Amino acid sequence: MTVLFGTIEYFERELLVAAKNRPKKLSEIDQIKSFYSLLENEISYDYICDDSFRKDCLQNLTTAYEKIISQKTARQVKISLS
């Protein structure tokens, strides 16, 4: 399946890859937060595109980020309760 740039699935994949390749000094969630901030900044200020597409990308990035963080947080809570 092809994942298109700017979709929620694209940003989920990118955030998870960044978390997998994280430096050992950062937790997985901290790496995701850091990469989210980097992508948000690049899309907002460096990426040259139509403003409506930029807004869509930023919304999809935020949706992907919130989904991943909620899953990771829920998993950590479940583990700590076990």
Side-chain angles (χ1 to χ4, degrees):
M1 181 177 128
T2 302
V3 179
L4 299 175
F5 174 79
T7 61
I8 294 170
E9 294 80 12
Y10 172 83
F11 289 120
E12 284 178 5
R13 186 183 67 192
E14 292 300 309
L15 290 169
L16 291 172
V17 167
K20 196 179 287 186
N21 297 327
R22 71 185 186 276
K24 298 209 186 295
K25 63 183 178 180
L26 291 177
S27 71
E28 186 176 27
I29 291 177
D30 287 341
Q31 180 63 21
I32 292 169
K33 288 178 183 179
S34 175
F35 194 61
Y36 166 78
S37 294
L38 176 73
L39 285 175
E40 182 182 42
N41 190 48
E42 285 184 2
I43 293 169
S44 295
Y45 302 108
D46 297 336
Y47 188 62
I48 298 171
C49 64
D50 183 67
D51 281 339
S52 64
F53 182 64
R54 180 185 326 278
K55 289 176 187 176
D56 288 342
C57 285
L58 288 169
Q59 180 59 47
N60 289 343
L61 173 62
T62 300
T63 301
Y65 169 75
E66 289 171 350
K67 181 178 175 183
I68 291 170
I69 291 298
S70 68
Q71 289 172 350
K72 299 288 182 190
T73 304
R75 196 171 299 137
Q76 284 182 348
V77 168
K78 186 176 180 181
I79 291 170
S80 66
L81 293 176
S82 298

